[in-house]
Amino acid sequence: MIQVYPAESRYAMDLGWLRSRPSFSFGAYYDPDNTSFGVMRVCNDDVVAAGRGFGPHPHSDMEIVTIVLSGAIKHEDNLGNVAVTSAGQIQRMTAGSGMIHAEYNASETEELELLQLWFMPSERGLAPSYETSSYDPKRMNNTLLPVVSRQGSDRAAAIHQDMTIYLSRLEKDRQIIFQQEEGRRVFLFVIEGRLTVDGTPLGTRDTARIEALSKMTIAADEEAFFMLIDLP
């Protein structure tokens, strides 16, 4: 089953310094029928104004992944971590037993565009931790490039959950066949372009939640940049 959520159907929030389109209930937006997808709890499509951001705030028992699409984000936390993450990089935070952090647009002149993703961890009360990782954008051309996985690697962040986040840039008229074990889920987010997934069309910023489909064909109707998450 492929359930499509068109970009224009998502809740839109504009605070001036922050423009956000959450895929799930978040903050002022609450829909009791749209609070999660498996272990996935948040997918926020955010644009943050130059020099602005989120002041210190707490988290616990959540795996938080930030994918920077353009610009750079500055992170600070109570563990002493200070880092700037740019496009081509991923940041992962395990909130675990409790963590306080702040996030800001690192630029005073340019907007920051990002996807922030939250996942429930495989176990509660983990030791808090933070890391950044880098990937080569060329390696995602016409393939699925893992950028976050349970095992992690020298080019992928590790996450405390049985899942993998892939990025791909697919040329027009090219296709990818994705297979996973029976009983798993896929969350797909079209960052740019247009795709067809097993006959179902998806446009820019559309998302799809896919269940009971262990094999699927992803075809580019035009050049497309997308994220695919393999979930339990």
Side-chain angles (χ1 to χ4, degrees), residues 76-219:
E76 301 176 353
D77 63 46
N78 63 324
L79 301 180
N81 296 302
V82 178
V84 174
T85 306
S86 306
Q89 295 182 302
I90 306 289
Q91 70 173 20
R92 187 272 309 158
M93 186 177 81
T94 293
S97 58
M99 193 170 185
I100 298 172
H101 80 137
E103 297 176 297
Y104 301 97
N105 185 337
S107 172
E108 294 294 332
T109 58
E110 298 179 356
E111 289 185 330
L112 163 65
E113 183 180 1
L114 60 88
L115 297 177
Q116 187 162 99
L117 316 167
W118 295 12
F119 305 93
M120 290 173 274
S122 55
E123 59 183 293
R124 297 174 64 86
L126 294 167
S129 63
Y130 173 85
E131 71 169 315
T132 60
S133 61
S134 301
Y135 63 91
D136 181 355
K138 294 179 181 177
R139 295 182 63 232
M140 65 181 174
N141 291 341
N142 298 313
T143 192
L144 290 168
L145 177 67
V147 294
V148 178
S149 68
R150 185 164 196 159
Q151 300 78 17
S153 71
D154 59 344
R155 293 185 177 273
I159 192 167
H160 296 96
Q161 185 51 265
D162 180 20
M163 54 169 284
T164 305
I165 301 176
Y166 299 92
L167 293 177
S168 179
R169 191 172 289 278
L170 197 56
E171 295 175 356
K172 181 180 179 181
D173 298 329
R174 296 289 294 267
Q175 65 180 34
I176 292 172
I177 296 175
F178 178 72
Q179 289 185 270
Q180 62 179 179
E181 295 178 3
E182 296 282 349
R184 293 182 66 83
R185 302 173 174 89
V186 165
F187 182 87
L188 197 149
F189 189 110
V190 183
I191 300 168
E192 300 170 4
R194 291 188 299 117
L195 297 173
T196 297
V197 181
D198 273 16
T200 299
L202 295 166
T204 298
R205 256 45 185 199
D206 289 352
T207 66
R209 303 177 199 183
I210 304 171
E211 298 180 90
L213 188 63
S214 59
K215 182 179 180 180
M216 64 198 75
T217 300
I218 304 168

